[in-house]
Amino acid sequence: MSRSKHTDPKTIRAGRRLRAPREGRGVGDLSRRRELGGKHKDAGAGPHESQGRARHSVRAVGKSSNAAVTNRGAQRTDAPYQKGWPGLRIVVRESRSGFHHPADKQDILEMLKAVGPVAFYGLRSIELARSPANALISMPVFGRYCAPGRIILFEQSMSPWRLSGLLKGDVARRLERADAVVTRLTDVGATLVHWPHDTLRRFMLEEVLLHELGHHVLQHHKGKRPVRIARTRDHESFAARFAEKHRLALMKGRSL
């Protein structure tokens, strides 16, 4: 079954558009080649000759339609694409006293590279920011996706954390799956969370960043609109599946 280049899977389409962001929509279109071949055949050309002319015509159309656009945007776009991170900015804001950014810029770039083009196609910025002023002391805020194409990873307090109140069971299990040591202090109504070694860094990358990337992938490949294109429940479900899929792939890659 033939497939149009405009209905390619997200992984193929993202890679193609990153490699040639200004490529015309008709470049490499087989239907155009067949159309030109049919015209040459009607004009009396032989089958082999018409096929050769059609192939040459498609190349000519692709080159001529993109030459002007490529020349106009060469100085503006060539350098970012050669670096491999087209249009992506990673902004690092200094953390407050007693806080830190568990994952740095290099960690983020390596994670994006591991996931592949589908992760950073259309992504505009990733910010390592300070915690929002309205953050609850009972539960830290890890990350946030802002359409279109903006991911924020918030600073975290130094380990161990002392949180007011008892963490809900699903939240505690999520942290424990990331190898955090969660201790409930029922007598004082508080929770201690200890992150051994680099477990918090891995949590921010493999849980938080991948989850926010899932939000971006769903949003960007459904029209790139600045408003949510799905209900919150569906958005969260897709992001969770995306993160789990790529987390398992990363674990499998480490074990090889």
Side-chain angles (χ1 to χ4, degrees):
M1 178 179 178
S2 62
R3 173 189 288 136
S4 166
K5 64 182 294 186
H6 312 304
T7 58
D8 283 342
K10 289 190 289 289
T11 52
I12 297 177
R13 183 167 66 249
R16 185 183 69 247
R17 290 181 178 173
L18 287 172
R19 287 192 302 271
R22 296 180 178 275
E23 184 178 74
R25 293 178 65 86
V27 175
D29 192 342
L30 294 180
S31 63
R32 176 64 174 161
R33 182 184 299 177
R34 288 191 291 268
E35 177 185 349
L36 292 173
K39 290 181 179 179
H40 284 298
K41 185 176 181 180
D42 294 339
H48 298 290
E49 184 181 357
S50 63
Q51 184 179 12
R53 289 181 180 176
R55 190 176 293 117
H56 175 74
S57 300
V58 171
R59 291 198 196 101
V61 169
K63 290 181 179 179
S64 61
S65 62
N66 289 290
V69 176
T70 302
N71 291 333
R72 285 199 303 269
Q75 294 182 349
R76 185 160 51 93
T77 62
D78 282 356
Y81 280 93
Q82 289 173 0
K83 294 179 181 178
W85 310 105
L88 174 61
R89 295 168 49 246
I90 297 183
V91 181
V92 181
R93 306 194 185 281
E94 184 178 358
S95 57
R96 296 172 295 168
S97 176
F99 290 78
H100 72 300
H101 295 298
D104 59 19
K105 178 178 179 178
Q106 189 60 38
D107 293 328
I108 293 172
L109 290 176
E110 290 177 358
M111 176 59 72
L112 294 176
K113 183 177 179 181
V115 176
V118 69
F120 53 87
Y121 169 52
L123 193 60
R124 300 182 180 182
S125 68
I126 298 179
E127 301 177 25
L128 301 180
R130 294 186 175 186
S131 297
N134 59 351
L136 299 176
I137 60 174
S138 59
M139 185 61 197
V141 180
F142 298 114
R144 182 174 298 163
Y145 175 72
C146 303
R150 180 187 177 204
I151 291 177
I152 305 175
L153 301 179
F154 294 110
E155 65 183 4
Q156 302 300 320
S157 60
M158 305 298 291
S159 181
W161 298 346
R162 183 183 177 93
L163 307 176
S164 64
L166 302 177
L167 286 182
K168 295 181 179 180
D170 58 337
V171 177
R173 286 190 294 272
R174 183 189 180 195
L175 300 183
E176 289 172 338
R177 284 198 303 269
D179 295 329
V181 180
V182 180
T183 305
R184 294 190 174 194
L185 307 176
T186 55
D187 53 337
V188 296
T191 305
L192 283 180
V193 180
H194 176 64
W195 295 93
H197 308 297
D198 70 337
T199 50
L200 181 55
R201 181 184 70 86
R202 289 193 292 107
F203 174 77
M204 291 298 294
L205 292 171
E206 299 176 8
E207 290 277 349
V208 181
L209 178 57
L210 285 180
H211 186 89
E212 303 308 327
L213 285 173
H215 286 302
H216 167 69
V217 169
L218 176 61
Q219 188 77 24
H220 187 71
H221 288 274
K222 289 291 186 180
K224 312 173 199 138
R225 290 173 289 183
V227 296
R228 276 183 172 252
I229 53 85
R231 296 176 299 178
T232 298
R233 180 178 62 185
D234 297 331
H235 236 297
E236 292 296 331
S237 177
F238 180 90
R241 293 196 304 272
F242 180 91
E244 182 66 18
K245 172 185 175 181
H246 288 280
R247 185 165 50 250
L248 292 176
L250 291 171
M251 294 173 60
K252 183 178 179 180
R254 294 193 193 107
S255 63
L256 295 179

